[in-house]
């Protein structure tokens, strides 16, 4: 038994394609593509009547746990360091395992509804380290979203916290399967001492994966790295052998050109997070200079990659450094393909069937040549009508099929209230 999608316009991002063809899906893969595919007697046949069939989107740097922090009471912040020390870190310290799982379910549901089928997540919950990545996976599993999960190792909570983080991130990477993969994660470089860097070097070898960390989100990263550890972030990471084509660096907003050139030369992925950068007022990252392996992530804001792509493009125009927004989105698929070892995003035979049906009726012709303009100025998460992950419908007619959104929201509100209360007890 298979699923045949008939009469839709199939979209690919790089090279851009908009083609009216049918797709046949069996199991988790696309197995046929062509005009007027014949169906079998027991097939599910879906008549799309000109709707778009779009590859599922990828948030290449995400923070699922942040969903419970929206709207929480907070003190006035004057600096980036204030935001970390007075808001973000106390919030992460107040998370327990139940809150982690609820946040993953709520954040995963939001991703699904926005058309984001894969989140590459960097997690931190220093009071609840052991088992936290399994709890994230359980929350995402409830919704049906794909995840690449890492724990952010740091020295912020001492040697015991660092070793717990290493054990958690390596352990999950070694056992993850199905819709989940693991990475070795790290906090900002200024929170990583020599022992942490050595532990991370050993961890990436043991787990046979790359490193996922935020880099130079703010000038504070370089200043404190120099003050505390005697050198700036890039030389320290290079000396530890932690930058490679499997590495994944988020933000990359405040590096000298010489350091950025060295990072690019390692082949590392660089993840642009324009909305999160705006939210923290850390300035515009020079995304056009990120090289061929640049992509997009939502960080701690909503997992709406259509909105992220639009913000990225418009900010690049404003900065006079215009990016190719389709390439940035397509690179998310290339990154996810590398993690899962199978093609994603190509919408052709052999690729994983992670896809969206978009109820988008363009007011102007939609072609491969002008697809980027429709992505930036027309398409949005409001058009996501159905979502398939691994060949299974996870949302249909804008209704999630495995969870009740009202129940998920109620559980999230209860968990958020508990986290906020614990924060209040310690401040």
């Amino acid at each position: 038994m298979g699923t045949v999608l008939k009469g839709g316009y199939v979209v690919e991002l790089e090279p851009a394609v908009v083609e009216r063809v049918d797709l046949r899906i069996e199991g988790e893969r696309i197995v046929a593509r062509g005009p007027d595919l014949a169906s079998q007697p027991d097939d599910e046949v879906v008549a799309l009547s000109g709707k778009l069939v779009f590859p599922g989107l990828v948030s290449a740097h995400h923070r699922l746990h942040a969903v419970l922090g929206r709207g929480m009471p907070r003190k006035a912040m004057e600096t980036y360091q204030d935001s970390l020390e007075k808001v973000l870190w106390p919030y992460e310290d107040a998370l327990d395992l139940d809150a982690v799982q609820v946040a993953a379910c709520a954040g995963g549901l939001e991703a699904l509804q926005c058309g984001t089928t894969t989140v590459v997540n960097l997690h931190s919950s220093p009071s609840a380290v052991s088992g936290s990545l399994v709890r994230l996976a359980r929350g995402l599993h409830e919704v049906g979203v794909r995840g690449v999960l890492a724990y952010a190792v740091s020295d912020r909570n001492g040697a015991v916290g660092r070793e717990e983080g290493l054990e958690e991130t390596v352990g999950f990477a070694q056992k993850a399967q199905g819709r989940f993969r693991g990475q070795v994660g790290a906090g900002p470089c200024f929170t990583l001492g020599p022992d942490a860097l050595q532990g991370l070097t050993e961890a990436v070898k043991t787990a046979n994966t790359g490193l996922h960390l935020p880099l130079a989100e703010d000038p504070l990263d370089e200043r404190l790295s120099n003050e505390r550890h005697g050198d700036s972030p890039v030389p320290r990471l290079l000396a530890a052998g932690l930058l490679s084509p499997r590495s994944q660096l988020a933000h990359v907003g405040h590096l000298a050109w010489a350091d950025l050139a060295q990072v690019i030369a390692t082949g590392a992925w660089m993840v642009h997070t324009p909305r999160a950068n705006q939210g923290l007022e850390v300035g515009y990252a020079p995304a056009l200079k990120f090289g061929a392996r640049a992509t997009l992530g939502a960080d701690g804001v909503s997992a709406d990659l259509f909105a992220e792509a639009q913000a990225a493009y418009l900010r690049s125009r404003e900065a006079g450094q215009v990016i190719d927004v389709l390439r940035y989105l397509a690179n998310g698929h290339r990154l996810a393909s590398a993690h899962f070892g199978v093609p994603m995003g190509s919408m052709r035979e052999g690729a994983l069937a992670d896809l969206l049906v978009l109820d988008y009726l363009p007011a102007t012709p939609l072609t491969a040549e002008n697809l980027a303009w429709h992505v930036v100025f027309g398409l949005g998460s409001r058009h996501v009508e159905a979502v398939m992950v691994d060949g299974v419908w996870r949302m249909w007619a804008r209704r999630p099929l495995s969870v009740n959104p009202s129940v998920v929201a109620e559980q999230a509100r209860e968990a958020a209230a508990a986290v906020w209360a614990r924060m209040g007890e310690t401040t």
Side-chain angles (χ1 to χ4, degrees):
M1 178 178 177
T3 299
V4 181
L5 306 182
K6 296 189 71 67
Y9 285 93
V10 174
V11 172
E12 295 175 279
L13 298 175
E14 192 184 43
V17 173
V18 180
E19 184 179 16
R20 186 153 188 164
V21 289
D22 301 341
L23 296 179
R24 179 180 178 81
I25 296 147
E26 292 181 359
E28 63 184 19
R29 304 288 186 102
I30 298 170
V31 297
R33 169 185 174 131
D36 198 24
L37 291 180
S39 60
Q40 304 299 319
D42 58 350
D43 283 343
E44 173 193 39
V45 179
V46 181
L48 295 178
S49 304
K51 294 176 182 177
L52 299 189
V53 183
F54 208 92
L57 300 172
V58 178
S59 177
H61 173 71
H62 208 75
R63 301 276 194 172
L64 284 164
H65 66 269
V67 72
L68 299 183
R70 289 180 191 162
M72 65 183 177
R74 61 176 64 191
K75 302 171 184 176
M77 301 294 110
E78 295 184 0
T79 67
Y80 175 76
Q81 190 166 1
D82 283 344
S83 297
L84 295 181
E85 295 178 352
K86 297 179 181 179
V87 179
L88 177 60
W89 289 348
Y91 169 74
E92 292 179 346
D93 290 342
L95 294 168
D96 62 14
L97 290 178
D98 289 339
V100 169
Q101 183 168 336
V102 169
C105 186
L109 175 59
E110 183 174 75
L112 185 78
Q113 292 170 320
C114 291
T116 299
T117 55
T118 301
V119 294
V120 186
N121 194 78
L122 185 61
H123 177 69
S124 179
S125 52
S127 301
V129 179
S130 181
S132 58
L133 297 186
V134 169
R135 288 296 198 101
L136 284 175
R138 287 178 184 171
L140 290 176
H141 179 72
E142 290 182 59
V143 179
V145 169
R146 192 181 298 280
V148 180
L149 310 179
Y151 191 88
V153 174
S154 81
D155 285 315
R156 183 168 69 82
N157 294 88
V160 172
R162 178 187 71 233
E163 296 305 312
E164 285 181 338
L166 286 166
E167 183 177 350
E168 179 66 11
T169 201
V170 171
F172 184 83
Q174 290 177 320
K175 65 189 175 186
Q177 58 185 337
R179 290 195 308 277
F180 299 98
R181 294 292 184 272
Q183 280 181 298
V184 173
C189 278
F190 70 86
T191 69
L192 304 173
D195 290 341
L197 289 180
Q198 181 180 350
L200 290 166
T201 301
E202 295 170 358
V204 295
K205 294 176 182 176
T206 301
N208 189 28
T209 186
L211 180 69
H212 182 179
L213 87 164
L215 178 64
E217 183 175 20
D218 183 89
L220 182 77
D221 197 12
E222 180 169 7
R223 178 171 65 81
L224 291 185
S225 187
N226 275 300
E227 289 177 4
R228 297 176 180 179
H229 310 298
D231 209 345
S232 56
V234 172
R236 296 180 66 223
L237 293 170
L238 287 169
L242 287 169
L243 298 183
S244 76
R246 303 180 79 177
S247 303
Q248 203 166 315
L249 311 174
H251 311 305
V252 200
H254 295 274
L255 288 183
W257 170 243
D259 283 344
L260 181 58
Q262 286 185 295
V263 171
I264 293 171
T266 68
W269 292 98
M270 283 185 274
V271 188
H272 186 37
T273 59
R275 291 186 298 159
N277 294 159
Q278 283 182 297
L280 284 174
E281 300 179 86
V282 295
Y284 178 67
L288 183 63
K289 299 179 181 179
F290 283 0
R293 305 192 94 204
T295 186
L296 298 173
D299 196 27
V301 298
S302 66
D304 187 341
L305 265 293
F306 286 113
E308 202 69 47
Q310 290 155 5
Y313 177 79
L314 294 173
R315 291 214 73 194
S316 76
R317 285 292 296 267
E318 184 179 40
Q321 302 176 21
V322 182
I323 66 168
D324 182 343
V325 72
L326 296 186
R327 168 168 288 185
Y328 275 64
L329 289 172
N331 274 346
H333 299 130
R334 296 183 178 109
L335 173 63
S337 299
H339 281 298
F340 287 92
V342 291
M344 299 173 66
S346 69
M347 307 296 284
R348 294 180 184 273
E349 292 88 342
L352 282 176
D354 285 17
L355 56 84
L356 320 174
V357 176
L358 303 181
D359 187 13
Y360 177 63
L361 301 175
T364 60
L366 172 58
T367 66
E369 291 71 25
N370 68 15
L371 175 61
W373 294 103
H374 284 272
V375 168
V376 172
F377 296 111
L379 281 166
S381 56
R382 67 191 182 279
H383 298 114
V384 179
E385 186 176 83
V387 180
M388 176 180 281
V389 183
D390 252 3
V392 177
W393 292 114
R394 296 297 181 178
M395 189 167 81
W396 184 257
R398 296 185 170 85
R399 183 173 66 87
L401 299 181
S402 59
V403 295
N404 183 324
S406 296
V407 173
V408 172
E410 182 178 356
Q411 292 173 341
R413 288 192 293 269
E414 291 176 359
V419 171
W420 298 2
R422 286 193 289 273
M423 288 180 66
E425 293 169 1
T426 58
T427 57

